[in-house]
Amino acid sequence: MSHESSSSVPGSTRPVSVIGLGQMGSALARAFLTAGRTTTVWNRTTGKAAALVEQGALRADSVAEAVVASDVVVVCVLDYATVRELLDPVVASLTGRTLVNLTSGSPEQARESAEWAGEHGFAYLDGAIMTTPPGIGDPASMILCSGSPAVFAEHRETLAVLGDPLGLGEDAGLAALYDTGLLGLMWSVFAGWLHATALVGADGVPAKAFAPTAIRWLTAVGGFMDTYAPQIDTGHYPGDDATVDVQLAAVHHLLEASRARGIDTRLPELHRDLMAKTVASGHGRDSYGRVIEQFRPSRA
């Protein structure tokens, strides 16, 4: 296969190689094909490439062939160990190219991978895909990226094929760190919504009827987060809205309503305990942002 340098190929037409064709990797490759990119694909199980080849992808017979086919190599496999297993034997071929690693992992693994890339002379971006495979290609879907801002800027147009790329800065571990934090936020929101839906459902309210009001409420909650974020950064919690002690009193109503309907109370009990500890530490008149101290390491 012929190979052109990144400096001679515009970002909008730059060829891309995709290594790993699970559900997500296949969605990435399809998005590049839909955007008219020359897309080379490789997967350990070769049959997974068949549908993409029918759509115009070029099938590489080896990882090495996939790497040399493009200046931009996107890898999306099971874990970081698999990334190294596949690419260590051909690492010399990555020199001068850019590896975009969209494999899920820890911040520590991402930083180690960036060091590995630096040792072998290729550019590295670590990424986190904040959507499921059907969301790939939707401009509303966030693609978190961390690593060299200059490398991110060079390849932003390519990454924009997949969604909305958000550059988080030089630290290669930030995309994975944001990813894990945001997933925790998602599960917490889901759990709260499911608990609330079970609660109102006990009185005959359908989930479909309750959901629009819950979604509207989440918009207001986002506003509270904007208010509390600078308070957390400064360590000053003025409490000029609903204070922790007021919210502690309110959570007891949630507990009473849950118990009366036989709804599991573990989630509101967690909220109660976090707030009660904050009040007990002398900060009941502070804003709810103060509760973050219950999650931080003990300073004892």
Side-chain angles (χ1 to χ4, degrees), residues 3 12 19 23 98-99 130-131 134 191 193 206 242 245 264 281 298:
H3 173 68
S12 60
I19 295 173
Q23 285 187 317
T98 297
L99 178 66
M130 305 311 298
T131 187
W193 171 66
D245 52 7
D264 191 296
S281 67
S298 172

Side-chain angles (χ1 to χ4, degrees), residues 71-205:
D71 280 330
V72 182
V73 180
V74 177
V75 58
C76 183
V77 292
L78 178 63
D79 52 31
Y80 280 68
T82 304
V83 173
R84 294 293 295 272
E85 176 190 343
L86 294 174
L87 295 179
D88 267 334
V90 298
V91 70
S93 298
L94 282 165
T95 301
R97 305 177 197 277
T98 297
L99 178 66
V100 180
N101 185 9
L102 299 180
T103 300
S104 295
S106 71
E108 289 72 25
Q109 289 173 318
R111 290 165 183 147
E112 289 171 4
S113 295
E115 292 178 6
W116 167 67
E119 291 168 0
H120 292 283
F122 61 91
Y124 181 85
L125 289 175
D126 206 89
I129 302 170
M130 305 311 298
T131 187
T132 56
I136 294 298
D138 184 342
S141 298
M142 293 190 297
I143 310 296
L144 306 181
C145 297
S146 53
S148 165
V151 174
F152 173 74
E154 180 184 356
H155 297 293
R156 192 186 190 289
E157 195 170 358
T158 294
L159 293 164
V161 169
L162 308 177
D164 181 17
L166 301 180
L168 301 178
E170 190 79 36
D171 180 353
L174 285 182
L177 187 64
Y178 272 51
D179 180 36
T180 52
L182 290 173
L183 287 175
L185 175 61
M186 178 188 72
W187 293 321
S188 296
V189 170
F190 278 170
W193 171 66
L194 291 171
H195 182 275
T197 300
L199 182 71
V200 300
D203 283 16
V205 179

Side-chain angles (χ1 to χ4, degrees), residues 273-279 281 283 290-297:
D273 292 347
L274 292 169
M275 287 185 266
K277 288 179 180 178
T278 301
V279 171
S281 67
H283 297 290
R290 170 69 73 173
V291 177
I292 193 173
E293 300 300 339
Q294 304 306 319
F295 293 102
R296 286 175 164 163

